[in-house]
Amino acid sequence: MDELIKEFIEKNVIDALKTLLESSDDGEITKSASVVASQFGAGFDISSEESVKKLINSFRKNLTLLIQKTWVDSADISLKEEILVKLEKYCVSIEEDKWAEVFGSFIKILDSVIYLMFGSTSKTADFTEYALRIDPEFGIFWWYVKSLPATNDWTNEKNKAVMLIAMFFLANY
């Protein structure tokens, strides 16, 4: 996968993601998050409460619409409803600045939404490659998400930076 992703993004973005995931220095985290976010066209200021509020609102609206409009088999209708409830709880928590507390929930929500969109294909080992081939922008996003750990012991600010990157993509997808 490392060689394939290099066909779609610059080395500095890959390096910035590595730094973002490994660093505990707030300055490095902010700088690296900015580089990674630029891959998705993000130009928001993560230190601006107003920008973050607007992003959360856009993310909530767009992801809710995406979930509601995704056609699923009748067996997955309850999953859609469950994800919508989890999304609302997640958004309330981050509005209360509880980023570190809900990181795991965020990853599970994303996995579930992608499952709704792509079905069991999203659970295969080569899904990221598949996504890169059919929609490079989405594939890069999914590569980013799959680069994140399932859980972490990061600071609230680092969790916020990491999640805002993904949220920016989904708010504008």
Side-chain angles (χ1 to χ4, degrees):
M1 180 53 59
D2 290 341
E3 289 305 311
L4 179 61
I5 198 66
K6 290 177 185 175
E7 293 178 27
F8 295 91
I9 60 175
E10 300 294 323
K11 183 180 181 322
N12 70 318
V13 177
I14 296 169
D15 293 343
L17 177 58
K18 184 176 193 268
T19 300
L20 176 61
L21 296 177
E22 295 175 359
S23 182
S24 59
D25 176 84
D26 287 343
E28 281 187 342
I29 291 167
T30 301
K31 183 179 174 188
S32 297
S34 178
V35 172
V36 175
S38 71
Q39 180 66 45
F40 301 122
F44 66 93
D45 178 4
I46 95 169
S47 63
S48 164
E49 277 189 49
E50 185 178 329
S51 293
V52 171
K53 273 185 183 178
K54 285 180 181 178
L55 179 58
I56 292 169
N57 192 41
S58 293
F59 165 77
R60 174 190 276 136
K61 286 179 180 176
N62 205 34
L63 199 58
T64 297
L65 186 62
L66 183 66
I67 293 165
Q68 290 172 339
K69 298 296 182 185
T70 300
W71 181 88
V72 295
D73 292 328
S74 58
D76 288 330
I77 290 174
S78 62
L79 177 61
K80 281 175 71 167
E81 293 167 3
E82 181 183 322
I83 296 168
L84 289 168
V85 169
K86 287 180 180 180
L87 175 63
E88 188 55 35
K89 287 180 183 177
Y90 167 79
C91 288
V92 168
S93 292
I94 60 174
E95 287 170 339
E96 295 172 353
D97 201 34
K98 297 178 181 176
W99 297 87
E101 293 176 29
V102 295
F103 178 82
S105 296
F106 183 66
I107 297 299
K108 288 176 185 172
I109 289 168
L110 295 183
D111 278 338
S112 296
V113 170
I114 301 310
Y115 172 79
L116 287 179
M117 292 172 64
F118 293 95
S120 59
T121 302
S122 68
K123 303 293 183 195
T124 62
D126 62 346
F127 179 70
T128 302
E129 180 178 342
Y130 169 78
L132 281 165
R133 301 276 185 216
I134 62 164
D135 181 349
E137 189 175 319
F138 176 79
I140 293 166
F141 162 74
W142 196 241
W143 165 80
Y144 170 75
V145 170
K146 293 320 255 179
S147 297
L148 302 176
T151 61
N152 68 60
D153 60 355
W154 298 335
T155 64
N156 202 53
E157 286 304 306
K158 183 171 180 174
N159 274 288
K160 180 179 179 180
V162 166
M163 286 187 264
L164 285 174
I165 294 168
M167 290 172 64
F168 179 84
F169 176 83
L170 290 168
N172 295 288
Y173 186 65

